């Protein structure tokens, strides 16, 4: 009878359909991935931009509650969003929105079974990055022109 060195070993022991024991492999963790590889970098960035979107939604709720609360509360939110930090936040939120949207479209294409080959994966990854920059710049250019 062997003694287990690690409590995770209990979850690695299994049995085949014929009853013979088999050791299951451990799932890889973040340490084994090359974070500078485009697929890994875009995947984690897609998750991060989802979190940024949640923060942006909370700021939008703050803005709406302030608008309903009265002119003083609304002026405070408007002051913050119009400040240098607020403008940087809104620019970052715009970039996160475009990135998350384009990466989401890329994932939808994968769900449809298109784009799994390595050249297409890298081509669509670059398209997401370039599209994010271009669409963010165009959004802010349109905003500044209409301001």
């Amino acid at each position: 009878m062997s003694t287990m060195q690690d409590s995770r070993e209990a979850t690695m022991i299994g049995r085949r359909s014929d009853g013979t024991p088999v050791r299951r492999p451990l799932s890889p963790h973040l340490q084994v991935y090359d974070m500078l590889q485009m697929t890994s970098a875009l995947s984690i960035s897609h998750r991060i931009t989802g979190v940024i979107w949640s923060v942006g939604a909370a700021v939008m709720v703050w803005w709406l509650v302030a608008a309903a609360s009265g002119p003083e509360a609304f002026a405070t939110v408007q002051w913050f969003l119009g400040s240098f930090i607020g403008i940087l936040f809104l620019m970052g939120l715009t970039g996160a929105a475009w990135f998350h949207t384009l990466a989401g479209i890329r994932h939808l294409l994968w769900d449809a079974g298109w784009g799994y080959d390595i050249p297409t994966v890298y081509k669509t990854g670059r398209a997401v990055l370039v599209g994010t920059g271009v669409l963010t710049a165009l959004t802010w250019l349109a905003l500044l022109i209409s301001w």
Side-chain angles (χ1 to χ4, degrees):
M1 184 162 141
S2 68
T3 60
M4 288 188 212
Q5 300 297 323
D6 189 344
S7 62
R8 296 176 295 170
E9 283 190 48
T11 62
M12 296 179 349
I13 306 297
R15 296 206 176 265
R16 292 192 174 105
S17 58
D18 66 356
T20 58
V22 64
R23 287 184 57 84
R24 296 185 185 113
L26 281 177
S27 296
H29 199 1
L30 293 176
Q31 298 93 313
V32 300
Y33 293 113
D34 179 8
M35 288 309 194
L36 297 178
Q37 181 183 4
M38 182 172 298
T39 52
S40 299
L42 290 182
S43 177
I44 194 70
S45 297
H46 190 218
R47 290 173 174 87
I48 290 169
T49 55
V51 172
I52 293 170
W53 253 125
S54 299
V55 172
V59 170
M60 187 177 87
V61 168
W62 178 38
W63 183 77
L64 290 170
V65 168
S69 297
E72 289 178 15
F74 187 68
T76 302
V77 176
Q78 287 291 89
W79 170 83
F80 171 74
L81 292 177
S83 70
F84 181 73
I85 299 290
I87 296 291
L88 285 179
F89 170 78
L90 292 172
M91 284 182 168
L93 184 61
T94 306
W98 280 119
F99 180 89
H100 197 74
T101 300
L102 295 174
I105 292 169
R106 182 177 182 230
H107 278 274
L108 285 174
L109 292 172
W110 287 349
D111 290 343
W114 181 84
Y116 281 115
D117 57 304
I118 296 299
T120 305
V121 166
Y122 278 88
K123 190 183 301 181
T124 57
R126 287 184 197 99
V128 166
L129 294 173
V130 169
T132 298
V134 169
L135 290 171
T136 301
L138 287 175
T139 300
W140 277 88
L141 182 63
L143 177 86
L144 292 173
I145 289 171
S146 65
W147 199 339

